[in-house]
Amino acid sequence: MRFSRYLRLFRRPLGMLSLLFLVACLVCAFAAKRIAPYDPCDPKARDILFSAQGPSSKHPLGTDVFGTDILSSLIYGTRVALIVGFTTGIITPLLGAVLGAISGFFGGWLDRALMFAVDVIMVLPGLPLMILVATYVGKSYWIVVALFSFLGWPGISRMVRARILSEKAASYVEAACSYGAHWFRILFRHLLPSTYPLLAVTAARIASASVLAEAGLSFLGFGDPLAISWGKMLAEAQSQGALLLGLWWWVLFPGLAITLLSLSFINIGYLLEEVFNPRLRCGTRW
Amino acid sequence: MQSSYFVRRIVLAFLAIWVALVLNFLLIHLMPGDPAERFYADPRVPPEAKEEIIKIFGLDKPLWQQFFLYARNVFLGRMGISFTTQRPVLEVLLERIPWTLAITFIPTLAAIACGIWLGLYAAWKRGTVFDFLLRTFGTAVNSIPSFWLAMILIMVFAYWAKIFPLMGMARPGVSLANAPWEFIKSVAYHAALPMLTLFVLSFPGYALVMRNAVISVLGENYILAAQAKGVSQTRLLWRHVLKNAVLPLISMFSLSIAGVFGGAVLVEQVFSWYGMGLLMVRASQARDFPLVQGAVLITILCTIIANFVADLVQGWVDPRIRYG
């Protein structure tokens, strides 16, 4: 691993900040019990005397009407957000890339069938379907992961397929065929890596969108009722009258967390694109 | 081979509608629980209605027959009886749709108009602070949760500045029947913040697409030719640049019509704006299965049709697509 090649990335301040933020969130998610000053799930830890107070020395981001510390809730909330973001950001591109690669590489009836499925699925709206599935199945953030993957793979598939189709005619593929390379090797060792830059950006964008979707679903009340989620915090803020009472800290901070995490994923996507696409890195000979 | 584009679009839309019906039908029958619950086995449904529903949907017949009866019923508008209101599902839906359209239509138009001007200006003044701000704001806005923005706006405008109301659709007691002009004014007043939220969330998208389109059009040879001919700046912008750059926006607009039906759910929830979106949420929480299914199905069908119309419009406006 030549680390010197990655030193150039430090020249991207936005990317570095986003990476830092994501790492901070990961730390919060893993070490929540040790970092969070109070335990948001423990009814005894609720500070009733301090409830609905703004940011103070005792509660840096304030408390809600129940007396729960908002900073602690935010820290515990990173878990759900990161689980949804990472799983969706990994599964969807994987699914889309494999299906798109197979479709583009083999062509024929398989290609036509898959592209028809792509055209149909891309038209379906996301949130109404999530509400429908949640009505039948119950409340969980895995609905977001499953539905996002189901609705998201077509977009990626189409992109990967287009790239594979254009790369199929390249001379290095012809060379590989001539020395008798197995189709598996050609597809996964030569063709698919050419899609990595675009795939990385798209994966990041999907992770970002899935965080927002999970927040939205939790806000509507369809998220996991036992887990702490930033969207659920905003839902509680609204239903407990934060808007009527002017408890701005209860509204500002959870939403800010969602926005910042979402933005971080997108910027990291741009960073990844630079890592994977050698032509974008300044100074390399191409 | 022009007609083949339109024919392909029609066939695709037709098949997509069938897939949506199959999907909905399968969801009813494959999801855990008793499918009968989904139609009538609920204490809120009056017993006379039960018999009728069993007859209309053919719930005592084999599954494949049930599907065709289901499809026929959907096209005839018979989607069952809502558990919570004991009224036909379609009736309830048709009552709610205008409310959703009321807060999504105007912001979309305003967003396009604003987006066109802002994008044009940003492309013309490319590289300046204005361009940078637009691009930054545009990328940031995609990451802002719509319901959070709505709550922030409520905080600022309804709580601190006290200009607009906190929630609801109209002042209680005022209705179309007893005071129509007051009602309309009250609805407009209550719709201001929801519309502002949707506007702020949508105009950056149009502005960015317009900006990129204008930049690429400005690089075209025919613009250079027009400038060489001595065409004035304004005429150049209007006649040559705008007409060509607006093409991607038309398709965006058509697609946003498709998104209109599902998109406003979160904003409606924040403002308690009782449109299609909030109906879906409340029906789901009340376990009112026919209503949820009906609402989602209508949303999916409208989205498919809107997408189809978007493709047609794009094919009509931009001839390159038809031959491509």
Side-chain angles (χ1 to χ4, degrees):
Chain A
M1 286 268 282
R2 272 174 290 149
F3 286 108
S4 57
R5 126 170 17 156
Y6 300 108
L7 283 179
R8 280 181 195 92
L9 295 175
F10 283 105
R11 278 201 233 144
R12 299 259 170 271
L14 206 56
M16 282 296 121
L17 270 173
S18 306
L19 202 60
L20 217 67
F21 185 76
L22 188 66
V23 169
C25 285
L26 276 165
V27 168
C28 285
F30 281 114
K33 281 205 183 65
R34 265 177 258 167
I35 297 185
Y38 306 88
D39 182 0
C41 306
D42 181 12
K44 287 194 285 284
R46 291 191 195 150
D47 221 338
I48 318 247
L49 296 172
F50 258 93
S51 64
Q53 298 294 321
S56 60
S57 52
K58 199 167 173 220
H59 297 273
L61 296 181
T63 55
D64 63 10
V65 284
F66 305 114
T68 327
D69 179 38
I70 290 188
L71 179 63
S72 312
S73 300
L74 283 186
I75 291 177
Y76 273 85
T78 53
R79 290 182 172 171
V80 173
L82 288 175
I83 289 177
V84 173
F86 278 115
T87 32
T88 318
I90 292 177
I91 294 180
T92 316
L94 210 67
L95 201 60
V98 169
L99 287 174
I102 293 179
S103 171
F105 192 70
F106 291 112
W109 64 269
L110 189 61
D111 183 28
R112 278 198 297 271
L114 276 171
M115 282 305 111
F116 169 69
V118 162
D119 280 328
V120 167
I121 295 179
M122 276 187 84
V123 171
L124 300 175
L127 202 51
L129 263 180
M130 283 189 213
I131 297 180
L132 186 65
V133 173
T135 317
Y136 291 128
V137 172
K139 305 178 182 187
S140 154
Y141 49 79
W142 294 112
I143 298 178
V144 177
V145 178
L147 264 152
F148 236 76
S149 307
F150 175 67
L151 295 173
W153 74 259
I156 299 185
S157 197
R158 205 182 257 185
M159 226 172 34
V160 168
R161 173 183 174 271
R163 182 85 180 149
I164 299 272
L165 281 179
S166 66
E167 289 286 312
K168 239 179 19 171
S171 41
Y172 64 86
V173 176
E174 204 179 326
C177 284
S178 72
Y179 64 70
H182 189 248
W183 63 262
F184 195 83
R185 185 179 166 83
I186 299 181
L187 190 57
F188 289 105
R189 176 82 175 78
H190 296 291
L191 286 176
L192 212 49
S194 67
T195 64
Y196 283 174
L198 206 50
L199 214 57
V201 177
T202 318
R205 205 169 287 156
I206 287 184
S208 157
S210 69
V211 168
L212 288 170
E214 189 278 323
L217 212 63
S218 302
F219 178 73
L220 292 175
F222 295 111
D224 195 336
L226 296 173
I228 298 182
S229 153
W230 295 332
K232 200 156 82 108
M233 287 171 74
L234 284 173
E236 277 171 10
Q238 198 214 356
S239 62
Q240 298 299 324
L243 303 170
L244 293 165
L245 301 169
L247 311 177
W248 57 270
W249 54 91
W250 200 1
V251 172
L252 184 69
F253 295 123
L256 204 61
I258 301 173
T259 310
L260 288 177
L261 185 63
S262 188
L263 278 172
S264 304
F265 272 123
I266 290 189
N267 281 317
I268 288 175
Y270 292 139
L271 215 69
L272 281 176
E273 190 187 13
E274 275 201 41
V275 167
F276 282 117
N277 192 347
R279 293 189 205 118
L280 277 185
R281 288 183 228 138
C282 30
T284 31
R285 278 186 303 126
W286 267 84
Chain B
M1 288 298 279
Q2 276 190 46
S3 59
S4 77
Y5 176 74
F6 296 107
V7 166
R8 258 187 301 135
R9 292 291 123 194
I10 293 177
V11 169
L12 205 63
F14 185 69
L15 288 172
I17 291 179
W18 276 102
V19 168
L21 283 174
V22 169
L23 211 69
N24 216 2
F25 185 74
L26 284 179
L27 273 176
I28 298 175
H29 285 271
L30 291 183
M31 283 290 144
D34 181 16
E37 264 178 19
R38 313 282 155 72
F39 286 105
Y40 61 85
D42 189 277
R44 293 169 285 193
V45 177
E48 323 80 64
K50 282 198 179 119
E51 290 304 315
E52 216 188 307
I53 292 178
I54 298 182
K55 203 164 44 106
I56 295 180
F57 284 97
L59 294 170
D60 42 356
K61 301 211 178 74
L63 210 65
W64 59 274
Q65 272 190 348
Q66 278 188 44
F67 173 66
F68 285 107
L69 277 173
Y70 175 73
R72 188 195 71 162
N73 286 332
V74 165
F75 287 119
L76 288 177
R78 296 200 287 238
M79 288 186 270
I81 306 277
S82 147
F83 294 161
T84 45
T85 56
Q86 272 91 50
R87 286 158 56 205
V89 163
L90 195 63
E91 211 178 282
V92 180
L93 290 179
L94 288 178
E95 258 178 25
R96 295 289 132 215
I97 290 181
W99 290 102
T100 298
L101 291 177
I103 51 166
T104 48
F105 193 60
I106 297 179
T108 312
L109 290 179
I112 294 177
C114 248
I116 291 181
W117 291 125
L118 289 174
L120 194 61
Y121 190 69
W124 199 248
K125 302 279 179 198
R126 184 180 172 188
T128 59
V129 177
F130 179 79
D131 185 27
F132 176 72
L133 285 176
L134 185 69
R135 274 184 295 130
T136 318
F137 184 62
T139 356
V141 132
N142 277 334
S143 300
I144 298 180
S146 54
F147 53 98
W148 184 56
L149 181 67
M151 288 169 88
I152 299 277
L153 287 177
I154 293 181
M155 272 281 174
V156 169
F157 289 106
Y159 181 77
W160 280 337
K162 298 197 178 28
I163 304 178
F164 290 106
L166 281 164
M167 59 169 73
M169 299 190 290
R171 221 169 59 227
V174 168
S175 82
L176 210 56
N178 58 14
W181 181 233
E182 285 297 318
F183 180 69
I184 295 178
K185 278 201 297 189
S186 181
V187 168
Y189 179 55
H190 281 81
L193 280 183
M195 288 206 275
L196 184 64
T197 313
L198 290 172
F199 170 74
V200 169
L201 288 172
S202 27
F203 86 80
Y206 291 111
L208 280 179
V209 169
M210 182 68 181
R211 174 193 174 270
N212 292 335
V214 170
I215 286 177
S216 72
V217 165
L218 283 177
E220 296 274 3
N221 285 331
Y222 54 84
I223 297 294
L224 190 61
Q227 278 178 322
K229 269 199 324 192
V231 171
S232 76
Q233 200 93 303
T234 347
R235 190 178 163 87
L236 180 78
L237 276 178
W238 269 102
R239 193 107 193 265
H240 300 277
V241 175
L242 200 74
K243 267 198 338 191
N244 290 292
V246 145
L247 290 176
L249 253 85
I250 295 181
S251 80
M252 249 189 105
F253 169 64
S254 317
L255 287 176
S256 77
I257 305 277
V260 136
F261 296 95
V265 179
L266 297 166
V267 171
E268 285 184 12
Q269 165 83 345
V270 174
F271 290 101
S272 293
W273 187 270
Y274 207 359
M276 273 280 284
L278 193 54
L279 177 75
M280 263 190 266
V281 175
R282 287 196 181 165
S284 171
Q285 284 163 351
R287 292 276 171 275
D288 189 346
F289 291 110
L291 196 53
V292 179
Q293 289 162 20
V296 173
L297 191 61
I298 290 286
T299 306
I300 294 181
L301 290 181
C302 288
T303 310
I304 294 177
I305 295 177
N307 263 300
F308 167 64
V309 170
D311 287 336
L312 285 187
V313 166
Q314 217 194 349
W316 173 63
V317 159
D318 186 358
R320 297 173 294 185
I321 305 232
R322 280 181 249 154
Y323 296 99

